[in-house]
RNA sequence: GCGAGGGUGGCUGAGCUAGGCCAAAAGCGGCGGGCUUAAGACCCGCUCCCGUAGGGGUCCGAGGGUUCGAAUCCCUUCCCUCGCACCA
C-alpha cells in the first residue's frame, strides 16, 4: 500500500466525525473526583482575517498534548471558540466597505475570498463567520485537531454576554472596578477615541507626558513644556513661534499664554479653558518671564523651529544640556539684525551664557557645547545633531548628577530623582503637566489625533491584596518553561489600573453603563469556565441567565437567596468535573497582559482549587526566515500546506522543528524533507505488516529466540519510551518527537547493518518496535500512526495505551557490549580511511588479563592516579612491569573519568573477547575480509604486525593487512 | 533604559539547568562510492586543518577567571531578537 496522505487523512477525519470521537462528557464513575481529567485550552482565535500556518501551530501544540493525555488514560477536554470583541473586525469591515486597496488585497489575494461572498462580509459577524467557517474550522479539522466542537461559541453571543455581565457585576461588588479619567488617543474630527487600527499616520507614536514649567509674566502663566523637568535651573531664555497664533486663556482660574492648538488640547485634558484673546507669537517676543523655581527673569526670543502644535507651543532653552538649544542660541547671537527687528537689544542676547546644572561623565562643564564641538556640528539642520542630542540625553539621564543648588537632590543621578523632583514642584504649583504626541498623528478619517482625557472604568490590578492573590496563583502554577515564572510575578508587580472598556466595538456592554463595551483583554479572563457548560447553556433561555443563575453555577446552592436554579446546579457538576484548567497554551508575549489577567481573575473569582494548574507559552513563527504578514501576502495557508504535504507532515514539522516556546521557521524545503521521512517510515512499516511478516513473528518466542543485537534494539527502545514520556510530560514536543522518530531511526540504521534481517527473530523485533513507535508518535502524526497501527494490530494507535518501559528488556550490559562493537567497527574504519588499503585480514587483540586487573583497580580505587599506582604496585607481578603499568593507569584513569557509574558497572561485567567474537560475521561482511579475534596473552597468537601489546581494556589492538 | 531570550562547524539547529563518552547530535546541502538499463528511492564513507594505523592541532561572539579538565560554571565586553500597556 502506497502512502497517500490525502486519501488516508480524509478517511480518518470521516471516522472521527462519525464517532463524535472527541466529545467527552463527564463519566458516570461513582467518584468523578478520582478520575483523571485534563482540561486543555488555548486562546480562542480572533477571526479578523484568515488562518495561516502560524495559527496552525498554535492550535496543534495543545492538540498533541491532548492526544498524549488521552493515551495516558485521561478524560481530555480540548474546546475552541471565537474571540470577536473589540474593534479590529469592525475596522476590517469598514475598510472592506470602502474597498480600500490594501484590505481588498488581503481578502482576495491572501485569503482567496471570492467576489460572490464579499457582500456577506460587510457586517462584522458576517465577516467573522466567514473566517471562522471557511478558514479556521476547516483548517483545524484538516489538521486533525481533537476539538469538542459542541462547545463552540463567539464572544458576541447573547449567552456569553450574560456570563461576562455576571463576571463584571461580581467584580464591581468586590470593588475591583473603579471609575476615573484616563488619557486616550482622540480624533478631533470624529470627536471620538481611536485605536491604533484607526490611524493613518503615526501608528507607532506613543504619547508622552510633558512637564509644564509655569513661567510667569505678571499674573499670566506661560507654561513651557519639557520632558526634562530637572533642567529647570538651566533655563536661559524661551522661544516662541513668531508667526503662530497664541491665546490668552483662563485655564482652571489662572491666566495662561499658550498656542491656540494647546488651548484645545488642554480643554480635552479636563481643564476649564476659556479663550479671551488671540494674537501672533511675535507680540510677546522680547518680553521677559520669571522662572518659578529660581525667580530669574529670562527673555522670550523669536524662533521658527517652535511647533505651536506640540505641547504648549512655548519652549524653554537649556543651552548647557541641549545641543539643539546650544546651536539655536549661537544662531540667535549671530543675527543681531533679526533681533533688532523684534526690538530686542542684541547685547542682551549676547550676554546669555549656558548655565550647567549637572555633571556628567565623558563631557566637560557644558555637555551640549562639548558634544556639538566634538561632532563639528555648526548648523541646526545637520542630521547628525539628532544623534548627538540623543547621546547627551542618555548620558545625562543615566549618569548625570545634579549640582549643589538642587538642595536635597544635589549629587543624585537624574534617573533616580526626575519623577520625584517633578512631582514635588507640581505639588507646590510651580509645574503642571499635559499629554501630547512628539510627532503628528492622523486618523483614517483624516482628523488630527490628540490626547484627551476620558471617563473610564478600570480594573484595579494595583490593589495590593489582589496582587498577593495573583502571586499565590503563580506560586502554585506549573510554568513551562520554568524560567517564565519570574515574568508573571514581574508583571503582577508592575501592573497598574487597567482601563477595561471602550467606547465602541463588538462585545458585552458594561452592565451599569451601557455606552461602554468591555474590551477584549478584559472579557477573556475566565471564559475557560464557560467552555465546560457552553453546549448545555443553549437549552436555557437567555433571559434566565441572570446573576443568581451564575452565582449558583459557580458558587453553589448557598450563594443565592432562596432556591437555586436546578439547571444551574446541574451545570455546576460539569463545571466542577472539568475545572480547573490543567494546561493553558498561549503566546509568550501575552504574559504581560492576558495570561496575568487570567491569573488575577481566577484568583479573585474562584477558590484555589479552581486556579489554573499550568501555562505553557509558545514562540513566534517565521516564514522562510521572515515575519509572516497577511497584508504583504507573506503567509502560508494551512489548507494549501495540507494539500501539498498532508496534515501529518504539517503537524510533524511544526511540532518537531522547535519546542513550543521557541520560535520556529516554516521552510518549504525542510517541510518537504519531513514528508520524505514520513513516506520512508510508511514504506518500511509496510514491509512488516503483511501476513508473511505476521506469520514469521508468530513463530518467535521472544524469551529464547532473540539474539544479542535484537535485545540491544529492544533495550534502546525502552530508553526511548522513557525519554519520550518525560519530554511530553513537560510539553517538549520537539525532544519527544525527535527521540521517537529521528533518534530511534539512528538505532534502527545500526540494527539493519548489524543484524541478519531475514531471521524470524528480527521480524518479531522490528514489529514490536514499530508498534511501540506508532503509539509514541500517535500524538504527533495521528493519521499515519492510526492507519499503520490498525493494519498491524487491528486497533488504531490512539486507542492503544501509551507504552510503558518494560524493565525486562532494559540491559545496560547489552548496550555497553554493543557500544564496544560499534567502537571497534569505527576504529577499523578509521584505519582503513587513513591507510587507504583494501583489507584481507583484520586481527583484533583483546588486552591481557593483567591489564584488565589494573582496570578493575582503577574502577574500585577511583581516578586518583597516585592512589591507583599505590594500590597496583602492591602486586609484585605488576611492579615488575614498571612504566608499562604507569602508562596503562594513565590511560585507564582517562577512560574511567569519562564514563558514568552505571556504564562503568556494566563494563566490568562484560567479556570483551566473546563480545567481539559475536561481531566477526558482521565485520567480515562489512569489509569482505577475514576477521580473527585473539587475546594479547594467548599462547598461539598470530601477531605479524607486533600490535598486540598495544591493547588496552575496552580498546583492543588492531592489525590490518 | 527596563524585562526576557539568544550568539555553536556551509545553512538550520541540539548540547549548554546536573563541567569530562564533545571535533561537538540530527536534518539540509556538498563530495566520493555501491545498487540500478537509467533516474528516483535506498545503502556506505567523507565533509575545520594536518596525518599511509585507530592519532595530533585548532575550535563553540570577544577577553579574562575557576578547575586536573569548560561550548557547558563565574566576571567583563560586543552584537542580535522580542515585549514595555489601553493593540489584539
Amino acid at each position: 500500500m502506497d502512502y497517500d496522505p490525502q486519501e488516508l487523512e480524509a478517511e480518518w477525519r470521516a471516522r472521527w466525525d462519525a464517532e463524535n470521537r472527541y466529545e467527552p462528557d463527564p463519566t458516570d464513575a461513582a467518584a468523578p473526583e478520582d478520575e483523571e481529567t485534563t482540561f486543555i485550552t488555548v486562546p480562542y482565535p480572533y477571526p479578523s482575517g484568515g488562518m495561516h500556518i502560524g495559527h496552525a501551530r498554535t492550535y496543534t501544540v495543545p492538540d498533541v498534548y491532548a492526544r498524549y493525555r488521552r493515551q495516558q488514560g485521561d478524560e481530555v477536554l480540548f474546546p475552541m471558540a471565537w474571540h470577536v470583541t473589540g474593534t479590529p473586525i469592525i475596522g476590517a469591515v469598514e475598510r472592506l466597505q470602502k474597498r480600500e486597496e490594501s484590505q481588498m488585497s488581503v481578502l482576495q489575494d491572501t485569503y482567496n475570498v471570492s467576489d460572490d461572498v464579499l457582500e456577506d462580509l460587510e457586517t462584522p459577524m458576517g465577516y467573522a463567520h466567514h473566517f471562522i467557517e471557511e478558514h479556521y474550522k476547516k483548517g483545524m479539522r484538516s489538521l486533525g485537531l481533537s476539538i469538542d466542537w459542541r462547545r463552540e461559541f463567539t464572544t458576541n453571543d447573547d449567552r456569553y454576554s450574560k456570563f461576562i455581565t455576571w463576571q463584571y457585576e461580581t467584580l464591581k461588588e468586590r470593588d475591583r472596578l473603579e471609575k476615573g479619567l484616563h488619557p486616550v488617543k482622540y480624533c478631533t474630527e470624529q470627536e471620538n477615541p481611536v485605536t491604533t487600527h484607526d490611524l493613518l499616520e503615526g501608528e507607532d507614536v506613543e504619547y508622552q507626558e510633558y512637564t509644564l514649567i509655569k513661567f510667569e509674566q505678571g499674573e499670566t502663566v506661560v507654561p513651557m513644556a519639557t520632558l526634562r523637568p530637572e533642567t529647570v535651573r538651566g533655563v536661559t531664555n524661551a522661544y516662541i513661534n513668531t508667526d503662530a497664533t497664541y491665546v490668552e486663556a483662563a485655564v482652571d482660574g489662572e491666566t495662561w499664554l499658550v498656542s491656540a492648538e494647546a488651548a484645545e488640547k488642554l480643554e480635552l485634558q479636563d481643564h476649564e479653558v476659556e479663550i479671551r484673546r488671540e494674537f501672533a507669537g511675535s507680540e510677546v517676543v522680547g518680553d521677559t518671564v520669571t522662572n518659578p523655581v529660581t525667580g530669574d527673569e529670562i527673555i522670550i526670543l523669536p524662533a521658527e523651529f517652535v511647533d505651536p502644535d506640540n505641547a504648549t507651543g512655548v519652549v524653554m532653552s537649556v543651552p548647557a544640556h541641549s545641543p539643539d538649544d546650544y546651536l539655536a542660541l549661537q544662531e540667535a547671537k549671530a543675527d543681531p539684525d533679526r533681533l533688532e527687528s523684534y526690538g530686542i537689544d542684541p547685547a542682551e542676547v549676547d550676554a546669555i551664557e549656558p548655565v550647567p546644572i549637572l555633571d556628567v561623565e565623558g563631557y566637560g562643564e557644558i555637555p551640549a557645547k562639548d558634544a556639538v564641538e566634538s561632532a563639528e556640528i555648526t548648523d541646526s539642520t545637520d542630521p547628525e545633531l539628532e544623534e548627538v542630542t540623543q547621546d547627551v540625553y542618555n548620558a545625562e539621564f543615566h549618569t548625570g548628577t545634579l549640582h549643589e543648588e538642587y538642595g536635597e537632590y544635589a549629587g543624585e543621578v537624574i534617573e533616580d530623582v526626575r519623577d520625584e523632583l517633578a512631582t514635588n514642584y507640581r505639588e507646590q504649583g510651580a509645574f503642571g503637566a499635559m499629554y501630547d504626541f512628539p510627532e503628528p498623528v492622523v486618523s483614517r478619517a483624516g482628523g488630527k489625533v490628540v490626547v484627551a482625557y476620558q471617563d473610564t472604568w478600570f480594573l484595579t490590578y494595583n490593589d495590593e491584596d489582589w496582587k498577593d492573590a495573583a502571586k499565590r496563583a503563580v506560586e502554585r502554577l506549573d510554568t513551562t518553561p520554568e524560567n517564565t515564572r519570574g515574568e508573571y510575578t514581574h508583571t503582577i508587580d508592575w501592573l497598574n489600573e487597567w482601563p477595561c472598556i471602550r467606547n465602541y466595538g463588538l462585545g458585552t456592554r458594561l452592565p451599569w453603563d451601557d455606552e461602554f463595551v468591555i474590551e477584549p483583554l478584559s472579557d477573556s479572563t475566565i471564559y475557560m469556565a464557560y467552555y465546560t457548560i457552553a453546549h448545555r447553556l443553549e437549552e436555557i433561555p437567555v433571559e434566565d441567565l441572570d446573576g443568581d443563575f451564575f452565582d449558583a453555577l459557580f458558587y453553589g446552592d448557598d450563594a443565592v437567596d432562596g432556591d437555586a436554579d436546578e439547571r444551574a446546579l446541574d451545570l455546576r457538576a460539569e463545571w466542577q468535573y472539568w475545572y480547573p484548567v490543567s494546561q493553558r497554551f498561549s503566546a509568550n508575549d501575552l504574559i504581560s497582559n492576558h495570561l496575568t489577567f487570567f491569573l488575577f481573575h481566577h484568583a479573585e473569582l474562584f477558590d484555589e482549587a479552581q486556579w489554573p494548574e499550568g501555562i505553557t507559552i509558545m514562540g513566534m513563527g517565521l516564514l522562510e526566515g521572515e515575519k509572516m504578514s497577511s497584508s504583504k501576502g507573506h503567509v502560508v495557508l494551512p489548507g494549501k500546506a495540507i494539500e501539498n504535504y498532508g496534515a501529518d507532515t504539517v503537524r510533524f514539522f511544526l511540532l518537531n522543528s522547535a519546542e513550543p516556546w521557541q520560535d520556529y521557521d516554516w521552510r518549504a524545503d525542510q517541510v518537504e524533507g519531513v514528508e520524505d521521512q514520513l513516506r520512508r517510515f510508511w514504506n518500511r512499516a509496510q514491509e512488516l505488516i503483511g501476513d508473511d511478516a505476521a506469520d514469521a513473528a508468530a513463530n518467535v518466542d521472544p524469551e529464547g529466540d532473540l539474539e544479542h543485537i535484537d535485545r540491544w534494539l529492544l533495550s534502546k527502545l525502552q530508553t526511548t519510551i522513557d525519554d519520550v514520556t518525560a519530554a511530553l510530560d513537560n510539553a517538549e514536543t520537539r525532544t519527544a518527537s525527535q527521540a521517537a522518530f529521528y533518534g530511534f531511526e539512528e538505532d534502527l540504521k545500526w540494527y539493519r547493518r548489524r543484524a541478519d534481517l531475514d531471521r524470524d527473530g528480527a521480524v518479531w523485533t522490528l514489529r514490536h518496535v514499530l508498534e511501540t513507535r506508532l503509539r509514541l508518535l500517535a500524538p504527533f502524526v495521528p493519521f499515519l500512526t492510526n492507519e499503520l497501527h490498525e493494519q498491524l494490530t487491528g486497533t488504531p494507535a490512539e486507542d492503544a495505551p501509551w507504552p510503558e518501559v518494560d524493565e525486562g528488556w532494559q540491559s545496560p550490559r547489552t548496550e555497553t557490549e554493543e557500544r564496544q562493537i560499534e567502537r571497534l567497527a569505527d576504529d577499523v574504519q578509521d584505519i582503513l580511511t587513513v591507510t587507504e588499503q583494501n583489507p584481507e585480514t583484520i586481527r583484533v587483540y583483546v588486552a591481557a588479563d593483567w591489564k584488565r586487573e589494573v582496570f578493575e583497580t582503577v574502577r574500585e580505587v577511583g581516578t586518583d592516579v597516585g592512589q591507583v599506582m599505590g594500590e597496583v604496585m602492591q602486586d609484585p607481578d605488576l611492579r615488575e612491569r614498571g612504566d608499562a603499568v604507569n602508562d596503562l593507569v594513565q590511560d585507564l584513569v582517562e577512560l574511567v573519568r569519562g564514563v558514568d557509574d552505571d556504564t562503568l558497572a556494566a563494563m566490568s561485567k562484560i567479556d570483551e573477547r566473546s563480545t567481539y567474537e559475536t561481531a566477526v560475521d558482521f565485520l567480515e561482511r562489512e569489509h569482505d575480509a577475514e576477521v580473527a579475534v585473539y587475546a594479547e596473552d594467548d599462547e598461539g597468537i598470530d601477531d605479524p604486525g607486533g600490535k598486540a601489546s598495544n591493547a588496552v581494556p575496552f580498546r583492543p589492538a588492531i592489525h590490518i593487512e
Side-chain angles (χ1 to χ4, degrees):
Chain A
M1 204 176 155
D2 284 342
Y3 180 50
D4 181 348
Q6 302 309 334
E7 191 187 326
L8 164 158
E9 289 170 6
E11 274 171 35
W12 282 93
R13 274 180 215 118
R15 269 177 73 166
W16 288 331
D17 271 351
E19 292 170 13
N20 297 329
R21 172 87 215 189
Y22 304 113
E23 298 180 359
D25 292 311
T27 55
D28 297 330
E33 60 271 22
D34 293 340
E35 191 139 355
E36 282 291 328
T37 61
T38 297
F39 181 21
I40 295 165
T41 71
V42 59
Y44 34 27
Y46 203 96
S48 58
M51 185 181 187
H52 58 63
I53 205 72
H55 300 114
R57 180 167 113 133
T58 302
Y59 305 109
T60 306
V61 170
D63 182 64
V64 168
Y65 190 69
R67 288 175 174 279
Y68 166 63
R69 293 308 318 172
R70 267 187 217 109
Q71 273 180 276
Q72 283 280 21
D74 287 5
E75 284 296 315
V76 175
L77 175 57
F78 177 33
M80 191 61 63
W82 316 100
H83 202 193
V84 299
T85 307
T87 57
I89 291 172
I90 291 176
V93 169
E94 283 170 4
R95 292 197 293 281
L96 164 63
Q97 284 165 341
K98 290 184 200 153
R99 294 296 187 269
E100 273 179 30
E101 198 182 322
S102 61
Q103 176 70 352
M104 297 312 286
S105 160
V106 169
L107 294 177
Q108 295 176 319
D109 304 337
T110 304
Y111 293 118
N112 306 314
V113 177
S114 61
D115 290 345
D116 51 317
V117 300
L118 216 46
E119 202 177 305
D120 300 340
L121 271 63
E122 291 192 27
T123 64
M125 290 312 289
Y127 185 98
H129 276 124
H130 174 80
F131 285 109
I132 290 168
E133 296 299 328
E134 299 304 316
H135 288 258
Y136 280 96
K137 273 173 88 169
K138 279 190 180 166
M140 289 174 173
R141 285 176 186 275
S142 302
L143 281 164
L145 304 190
S146 54
I147 290 167
D148 181 352
W149 288 109
R150 295 174 304 165
R151 299 165 189 262
E152 176 191 10
F153 58 87
T154 84
T155 59
N156 202 46
D157 292 356
D158 291 342
R159 289 179 176 78
Y160 187 79
S161 279
K162 289 290 185 182
F163 166 69
I164 298 299
T165 300
W166 167 80
Q167 181 187 358
Y168 275 80
E169 277 173 343
T170 307
L171 287 168
K172 185 159 181 267
E173 278 164 27
R174 291 164 170 267
D175 281 335
R176 295 309 187 193
L177 280 160
E178 204 171 76
K179 196 175 184 179
L181 282 174
H182 193 79
V184 297
K185 293 177 184 174
Y186 183 90
C187 172
T188 52
E189 187 73 28
Q190 296 172 305
E191 301 190 349
N192 215 340
V194 289
T195 68
T196 306
H197 274 279
D198 304 318
L199 299 181
L200 194 63
E201 203 179 303
E203 291 103 314
D204 302 326
V205 181
E206 286 303 327
Y207 58 73
Q208 286 177 304
E209 184 181 17
Y210 290 85
T211 296
L212 303 185
I213 298 184
K214 294 166 81 174
F215 282 78
E216 287 151 7
Q217 187 182 33
E219 290 301 303
T220 304
V221 174
V222 185
M224 308 209 187
T226 179
L227 293 169
R228 304 205 299 158
E230 72 281 1
T231 59
V232 61
R233 287 178 177 275
V235 180
T236 59
N237 61 282
Y239 290 111
I240 201 160
N241 188 316
T242 49
D243 300 328
T245 306
Y246 286 80
V247 299
E248 188 186 291
V251 176
D252 300 335
E254 295 176 344
T255 303
W256 284 26
L257 189 163
V258 294
S259 70
E261 292 89 342
E264 189 187 356
K265 291 173 193 167
L266 288 167
E267 191 162 11
L268 287 168
Q269 289 178 19
D270 201 36
H271 293 283
E272 287 280 335
V273 178
E274 192 194 320
I275 293 171
R276 298 206 183 118
R277 187 169 83 82
E278 290 192 357
F279 54 90
S282 54
E283 192 181 303
V284 289
V285 165
D287 288 2
T288 58
V289 291
T290 310
N291 185 318
V293 171
T294 63
D296 294 344
E297 296 264 309
I298 59 158
I299 186 166
I300 301 177
L301 298 181
E304 287 74 36
F305 59 82
V306 174
D307 179 0
D309 201 7
N310 183 242
T312 56
V314 192
V315 300
M316 60 189 213
S317 166
V318 186
H321 299 291
S322 161
D324 287 314
D325 291 349
Y326 181 79
L327 280 176
L329 183 59
Q330 298 295 91
E331 284 167 8
K333 286 179 181 180
D335 193 353
D337 294 347
R338 186 162 161 276
L339 294 173
E340 275 175 2
S341 76
Y342 287 105
I344 299 168
D345 178 2
E348 198 180 334
V349 175
D350 223 32
I352 298 175
E353 287 301 327
V355 179
I357 53 105
L358 56 81
D359 294 317
V360 58
E361 235 174 272
Y363 293 92
E365 197 192 353
I366 317 240
K369 179 168 180 251
D370 262 23
V372 167
E373 285 173 359
S374 66
E376 292 176 9
I377 298 171
T378 53
D379 185 338
S380 56
T381 57
D382 191 326
E384 212 188 326
L385 181 59
E386 197 177 327
E387 196 181 314
V388 165
T389 301
Q390 204 53 49
D391 288 346
V392 171
Y393 282 14
N394 271 336
E396 292 191 345
F397 182 60
H398 297 294
T399 62
T401 52
L402 290 166
H403 284 178
E404 282 311 308
E405 56 269 28
Y406 279 83
E408 59 175 309
Y409 302 117
E412 297 287 339
V413 178
I414 308 303
E415 186 172 10
D416 301 332
V417 296
R418 174 181 285 171
D419 288 347
E420 196 185 327
L421 183 146
T423 309
N424 218 333
Y425 280 122
R426 201 178 300 177
E427 280 164 7
Q428 291 172 24
F431 288 6
M434 81 178 282
Y435 288 94
D436 204 359
F437 296 103
E439 291 170 45
V441 179
V442 179
S443 80
R444 286 180 181 273
K448 186 170 81 180
V449 173
V450 300
V451 183
Y453 275 60
Q454 276 270 309
D455 253 341
T456 300
W457 284 88
F458 299 98
L459 283 161
T460 56
Y461 292 131
N462 50 337
D463 289 347
E464 282 307 318
D465 61 328
W466 201 2
K467 281 182 193 267
D468 289 344
K471 281 186 183 169
R472 284 202 305 281
V474 174
E475 274 167 31
R476 60 205 298 290
L477 187 74
D478 197 0
T479 60
T480 307
E482 176 56 35
N483 64 14
T484 54
R485 183 179 302 280
E487 291 187 56
Y488 295 100
T489 38
H490 181 259
T491 303
I492 291 169
D493 282 334
W494 150 97
L495 209 55
N496 224 316
E497 295 170 318
W498 181 268
C500 62
I501 55 164
R502 295 288 178 274
N503 289 63
Y504 63 105
L506 296 176
T508 303
R509 307 239 151 221
L510 199 62
W512 54 89
D513 198 347
D514 70 4
E515 68 175 295
F516 294 121
V517 177
I518 295 165
E519 61 89 38
L521 283 164
S522 300
D523 83 340
S524 56
T525 60
I526 56 164
Y527 71 92
M528 311 79 198
Y530 192 83
Y531 280 129
T532 65
I533 48 156
H535 56 316
R536 297 173 59 191
L537 227 43
E538 295 296 322
E539 302 152 13
I540 299 170
V542 177
E543 56 273 18
D544 292 359
L545 301 176
D546 56 13
D548 275 355
F549 184 91
F550 285 108
D551 276 343
L553 201 168
F554 292 117
Y555 299 143
D557 209 352
D558 300 340
V560 291
D561 296 333
D563 287 340
D565 190 318
E566 281 302 323
R567 297 168 300 178
L569 295 177
D570 202 28
L571 294 177
R572 176 172 173 75
E574 177 143 10
W575 178 64
Q576 288 181 316
Y577 180 80
W578 293 113
Y579 236 61
V581 172
S582 312
Q583 198 64 236
R584 181 159 183 83
F585 291 84
S586 191
N588 57 6
D589 54 334
L590 294 181
I591 292 178
S592 61
N593 46 54
H594 165 260
L595 286 170
T596 301
F597 297 175
F598 165 61
L599 296 174
F600 263 100
H601 286 248
H602 275 81
E604 177 66 34
L605 293 168
F606 298 130
D607 290 339
E608 280 201 33
Q610 312 296 354
W611 293 359
E613 288 174 347
I615 297 178
T616 299
I617 60 124
M618 290 189 281
M620 297 258 303
L622 298 175
L623 173 55
E624 304 293 347
E626 282 176 51
K627 242 180 153 161
M628 288 182 235
S629 159
S630 48
S631 61
K632 287 181 193 151
H634 187 61
V635 288
V636 169
L637 303 189
K640 190 76 189 155
I642 291 169
E643 198 181 306
N644 287 347
Y645 311 107
D648 278 331
T649 294
V650 171
R651 292 174 62 106
F652 200 65
F653 177 83
L654 291 172
L655 275 294
N656 183 260
S657 62
E659 300 293 6
W661 48 90
Q662 294 175 323
D663 294 347
Y664 59 96
D665 189 3
W666 178 273
R667 286 177 183 264
D669 59 341
Q670 295 196 10
V671 181
E672 278 167 35
V674 170
E675 192 191 2
D676 290 344
Q677 296 279 3
L678 290 182
R679 173 165 282 113
R680 210 169 294 168
F681 182 89
W682 171 276
N683 292 338
R684 286 247 158 80
Q686 288 300 321
E687 292 167 13
L688 297 167
I689 279 171
D691 290 342
D692 291 351
D695 292 346
N699 293 332
V700 173
D701 168 18
E703 296 303 318
D705 297 343
L706 300 186
E707 294 188 355
H708 166 84
I709 191 65
D710 302 325
R711 285 193 296 274
W712 171 80
L713 190 67
L714 292 167
S715 183
K716 285 285 187 187
L717 182 67
Q718 308 315 310
T719 311
T720 302
I721 293 170
D722 212 18
D723 291 348
V724 173
T725 307
L728 273 183
D729 281 335
N730 294 318
E732 293 167 7
T733 60
R734 178 192 157 88
T735 303
S737 56
Q738 283 274 348
F741 197 84
Y742 294 103
F744 200 81
E745 208 58 50
E746 287 297 296
D747 294 332
L748 273 173
K749 204 165 154 184
W750 177 250
Y751 177 81
R752 285 189 205 103
R753 252 175 96 180
R754 276 278 283 127
D756 171 6
L757 300 175
D758 295 330
R759 291 173 301 117
D760 289 353
V763 175
W764 184 92
T765 303
L766 287 169
R767 279 172 61 98
H768 177 79
V769 161
L770 174 63
E771 185 181 334
T772 304
R773 287 178 81 208
L774 288 171
R775 296 183 194 183
L776 293 174
L777 290 167
F780 301 94
V781 284
F783 301 98
L784 175 139
T785 53
N786 273 351
E787 181 67 28
L788 289 174
H789 198 275
E790 194 172 60
Q791 289 179 13
L792 186 70
T793 69
T795 38
E798 66 187 330
D799 289 337
W802 189 253
E804 279 181 33
V805 173
D806 182 342
E807 288 175 13
W809 289 122
Q810 273 181 321
S811 173
R813 177 174 168 175
T814 306
E815 290 191 31
T816 305
E817 286 168 348
E818 194 57 28
R819 197 172 302 119
Q820 286 302 124
I821 292 170
E822 200 175 341
R823 192 163 173 186
L824 174 62
D826 282 350
D827 280 348
V828 170
Q829 184 58 249
D830 280 353
I831 295 166
L832 292 174
T833 303
V834 176
T835 61
E836 295 178 348
Q837 58 183 319
N838 193 14
E840 279 175 18
T841 310
I842 299 169
R843 297 187 182 84
V844 177
Y845 306 99
V846 176
D849 286 346
W850 67 268
K851 291 181 176 173
R852 182 69 183 237
E853 279 170 37
V854 175
F855 167 77
E856 288 301 324
T857 310
V858 175
R859 190 174 72 82
E860 282 157 19
V861 174
T863 55
D864 183 309
V865 177
Q867 264 186 315
V868 174
M869 286 305 289
E871 183 68 28
V872 166
M873 286 306 172
Q874 305 286 321
D875 184 327
D877 289 346
L878 293 177
R879 195 158 52 222
E880 246 174 60
R881 298 183 189 268
D883 284 351
V885 176
N886 198 358
D887 291 347
L888 181 64
V889 169
Q890 298 280 356
D891 286 352
L892 289 172
V893 163
E894 283 291 309
L895 175 74
V896 169
R897 269 185 179 157
V899 155
D900 62 53
D901 291 349
D902 290 346
T903 309
L904 196 58
M907 284 166 84
S908 80
K909 283 189 200 128
I910 76 168
D911 177 69
E912 277 194 86
R913 182 168 183 168
S914 62
T915 300
Y916 302 140
E917 276 167 352
T918 65
V920 165
D921 288 350
F922 160 65
L923 289 171
E924 292 190 331
R925 203 167 352 112
E926 287 266 301
H927 300 290
D928 195 20
E930 298 257 342
V931 176
V933 180
Y934 305 94
E936 179 190 349
D937 45 2
D938 266 353
E939 289 290 324
I941 184 171
D942 183 13
D943 183 17
K947 299 281 185 187
S949 63
N950 293 337
V952 171
F954 306 101
R955 204 75 208 277
I958 298 165
H959 177 252
I960 298 176
E961 60 180 2

